[in-house]
Amino acid sequence: MEWKLDRTSKKPLYKQIADFIEQGILTGMFSQDSMLPSERILAKELGVNRSTIVSAYDELQSLGIVERKKGSGTRISTDIWGVSHKRIPNWGRYMEDGSFLPNLPFVRRIRTETRKHNIINLSSGELSPSLWPNEQFRTIFTEHPFMEPLGYDHPMGNASLRETISAHVKEYRNINTSSSSMLITSGAQQALHLIVQCLLKPGDAIAIEDPSYFYSLPLLQSAGLKVYYLPVDQHGINPDDVEKLYKKHRIKMIFLNTSHQNPTGASLHPSRQKKILEISSELGIPIVEDDPYSLISFDGEKVSTLKSMDESGNVLYISSLSKIVASGLRIGWVIGPSKVINRLADAKQQVDFGHSIFPQWAADEFLKDPYFDAHISMLRDELKKRRDEIIRSLEVYLDEEVEFIPPKGGIHIWCRVKSAFNESQLLEESMKKGVSFVPGSVFGSGKGYVRFTYGRGETNLIQEGISRFADALKVCTRQ
Ligand SMILES: Cc1ncc(COP(=O)(O)O)c(C=O)c1O
């Protein structure tokens, strides 16, 4: 074949090949109903990978130009100019071209594996099933008649639930707000998504913690944002770093998980909180404070949030019931200036016409129930037991191999593994041995870390889980 690929062109190679063949059919170079060269032969002839030819043939098939049958090769469609041929969309390409990115590969792998096998789950960022208040929900469902209208609810969320959450954040988080400054969302996750979509545009620079949960969300990249990092130490981020990033990149928004941070467990020190609020109002940069964990401090002390000190409306405060009641409820909220909340509510209405009444009603009843206090105390005690259990297990099985700072609340522990290891190999080996964890790179940190979620593990299985992980680590660091 005389024709050559243009390797300097911006047009992908598979597309050049597909266009060349399509052109060849139009000019009669390839006759109708004839066979095209096999993928292997054409790949060799053009000096490309076989996968490039597969993509080119996929493209032509999606246009109805060729027909492919397993085992009998690729032929030019017999009905290329007719009306009857069926076109098969090139789903692979559609899926690659969509602007919303898929989850990180490690995240997808862990999710499917933990569902499939009988694995001790130290990876999912949620409470273990034995900590969900199922019994209390059963009581609510039997004792409280459901009387709510079943039409589309208020765009900002159910009015009664918003009143209840306003009282809840006042009592437990020292935040003064009102129901007109709050939007109910499908977990904290949807609140983050709405903020990114409504308040930022492609090319905007934002700052997130490193390591951080936000890093694990391709939604920031999907929105075309430039992401810069604020290193986290045991007291959270350093305010000076915010100023430096602002000077260099004109960051437009800061995303912080201020208490018992995922994954490090660190809480932002009060002196740093104050400084960060000062910087935020000096520079006019809004802060998105994501706070799913502040209620589960083991010493039971109220943790002060940035929002509780925010006098000028610089902070958008996000929280949810996922880590303190149950993740499957999908109840979250965002609190902020009412014009911003209205903008987010308008977007939420376009996306899903507002939140379903059933979880909102159940959440409202649960939060108003005097049992809520007892539930939170129980949760703190149980999570502390799990924290102690995982620390004991790490000391027994991995004393020489890992180091960590004991978390004072939350559900995660962040461990540095002292020897070098390959993350994929360790994950596969661990899952083979029946335990899951999350590799550190998911949270953006350099390799060499792992996150265990003790809150998801049942107390009697944590020790076994860490012992299996230790066996897997031995295999991976032996070389
Ligand atoms: C810091 C942080 N923010 C937000 C979320 C999302 O939680 P949800 O959407 O279930 O409220 C998580 C979940 O792990 C998290 O750790």
Side-chain angles (χ1 to χ4, degrees):
M1 196 181 292
E2 305 240 310
W3 178 75
K4 293 248 168 336
L5 286 158
D6 178 2
R7 290 177 190 274
T8 58
S9 161
K10 277 195 180 145
K11 193 194 265 189
L13 297 181
Y14 85 88
K15 190 85 179 110
Q16 292 185 39
I17 298 168
D19 287 354
F20 166 69
I21 295 173
E22 190 177 355
Q23 242 353 80
I25 294 168
L26 284 175
T27 57
M29 190 167 91
F30 296 109
S31 63
Q32 211 171 320
D33 200 17
S34 65
M35 296 296 290
L36 288 175
S38 76
E39 291 155 3
R40 197 175 45 80
I41 289 176
L42 190 56
K44 197 164 168 218
E45 200 164 323
L46 295 176
V48 295
N49 281 331
R50 188 170 163 181
S51 60
T52 309
I53 305 297
V54 173
S55 297
Y57 284 1
D58 279 352
E59 176 83 359
L60 292 167
Q61 185 181 24
S62 74
L63 296 169
I65 291 171
V66 302
E67 289 163 4
R68 308 173 79 196
K69 273 207 188 99
K70 247 208 161 97
S72 49
T74 304
R75 68 165 56 245
I76 296 166
S77 176
T78 45
D79 188 29
I80 195 161
W81 314 118
V83 283
S84 65
H85 65 255
K86 291 185 184 133
R87 292 181 169 192
I88 304 163
N90 187 349
W91 290 119
R93 198 131 308 281
Y94 277 99
M95 278 150 46
E96 262 173 42
D97 288 351
S99 60
F100 198 75
L101 297 172
N103 256 319
L104 302 179
F106 273 143
V107 173
R108 281 183 281 155
R109 177 94 184 101
I110 294 166
R111 198 179 47 205
T112 41
E113 281 303 303
T114 44
R115 290 226 160 119
K116 249 196 319 210
H117 304 301
N118 204 7
I119 270 180
I120 298 177
N121 185 346
L122 299 178
S123 58
S124 307
E126 57 182 349
L127 299 174
S128 61
S130 61
L131 298 176
W132 300 333
N134 288 342
E135 207 38 60
Q136 198 57 29
F137 275 113
R138 264 190 286 279
T139 311
I140 288 171
F141 297 144
T142 45
E143 289 181 1
H144 301 245
F146 176 81
M147 310 278 275
E148 302 300 312
L150 286 170
Y152 295 126
D153 206 338
H154 194 287
M156 282 155 67
N158 181 260
S160 172
L161 177 60
R162 281 182 288 129
E163 286 297 336
T164 304
I165 293 177
S166 302
H168 163 91
V169 294
K170 173 77 197 143
E171 181 176 350
Y172 292 92
R173 306 163 197 237
N174 219 3
I175 295 171
N176 286 312
T177 186
S178 69
S179 59
S180 59
S181 301
M182 179 186 304
L183 170 69
I184 306 294
T185 55
S186 175
Q189 191 87 344
Q190 190 183 37
L192 286 167
H193 192 197
L194 291 170
I195 289 171
V196 164
Q197 289 297 320
C198 298
L199 307 182
L200 296 165
K201 60 179 187 317
D204 280 349
I206 59 161
I208 66 171
E209 298 152 319
D210 177 24
S212 92
Y213 170 73
F214 307 111
Y215 187 92
S216 71
L217 304 177
L219 69 87
L220 303 177
Q221 281 77 23
S222 298
L225 303 177
K226 289 189 201 129
V227 181
Y228 297 97
Y229 303 103
L230 299 162
V232 174
D233 64 25
Q234 60 178 329
H235 300 300
I237 62 152
N238 188 334
D240 297 340
D241 292 335
V242 175
E243 280 184 317
K244 278 187 216 147
L245 276 189
Y246 179 78
K247 278 193 192 129
K248 217 164 158 197
H249 304 290
R250 288 286 180 266
I251 47 171
K252 278 190 76 177
M253 201 174 270
I254 309 165
F255 290 76
L256 299 177
N257 172 198
T258 44
S259 23
H260 311 308
Q261 195 238 20
N262 178 5
T264 63
S267 293
L268 192 58
H269 193 275
S271 63
R272 293 186 180 186
Q273 287 185 327
K274 204 166 153 272
K275 186 88 196 289
I276 285 165
L277 280 174
E278 280 164 16
I279 293 172
S280 158
S281 50
E282 226 170 80
L283 303 176
I285 317 175
I287 297 171
V288 176
E289 181 178 35
D290 180 23
D291 177 31
Y293 303 109
S294 65
L295 249 65
I296 38 176
S297 286
F298 302 139
D299 57 12
E301 255 181 47
K302 265 192 204 167
V303 176
S304 70
T305 57
L306 288 177
K307 187 66 187 164
S308 65
M309 299 182 277
D310 172 35
E311 281 163 7
S312 35
N314 286 18
V315 178
L316 292 176
Y317 177 83
I318 295 177
S319 190
S320 85
L321 296 185
S322 291
K323 321 293 171 169
I324 56 170
V325 183
S327 44
L329 270 181
R330 305 313 298 137
I331 291 289
W333 60 88
V334 48
I335 297 171
S338 52
K339 58 183 180 208
V340 177
I341 294 300
N342 276 319
R343 171 75 174 93
L344 303 181
D346 175 77
K348 178 161 162 69
Q349 223 203 3
Q350 294 181 55
V351 171
D352 63 9
F353 267 119
H355 216 47
S356 161
I357 183 62
F358 291 110
Q360 294 194 83
W361 172 79
D364 193 16
E365 294 295 333
F366 189 78
L367 286 171
K368 282 194 295 213
D369 198 311
Y371 171 79
F372 182 76
D373 261 342
H375 169 74
I376 295 295
S377 303
M378 174 284 291
L379 209 53
R380 286 180 183 139
D381 291 349
E382 286 300 320
L383 288 173
K384 184 164 182 292
K385 274 188 214 155
R386 283 165 170 75
R387 192 271 320 252
D388 292 345
E389 181 65 14
I390 204 158
I391 289 180
R392 240 191 323 273
S393 308
L394 289 167
E395 284 167 357
V396 170
Y397 296 103
L398 290 161
D399 200 29
E400 299 290 310
E401 286 83 4
V402 301
E403 57 188 14
F404 53 84
I405 298 174
K408 294 186 178 141
I411 58 176
H412 311 290
I413 187 163
W414 183 238
C415 300
R416 190 177 83 79
V417 179
K418 293 180 194 163
S419 320
F421 66 93
N422 175 303
E423 285 190 322
S424 308
Q425 192 199 1
L426 182 58
L427 184 62
E428 292 307 320
E429 197 58 41
S430 299
M431 293 197 295
K432 235 196 276 168
K433 296 198 176 334
V435 63
S436 63
F437 70 95
V438 185
S441 64
V442 166
F443 304 98
S445 240
K447 296 190 176 101
Y449 287 83
V450 294
R451 187 198 78 178
F452 297 112
T453 301
Y454 53 85
R456 179 62 178 76
E458 298 296 354
T459 321
N460 61 335
L461 291 177
I462 287 177
Q463 185 187 344
E464 176 59 24
I466 295 298
S467 143
R468 291 181 191 181
F469 175 84
D471 288 345
L473 186 64
K474 257 186 224 128
V475 174
C476 299
T477 50
R478 210 179 276 147
Q479 301 86 343

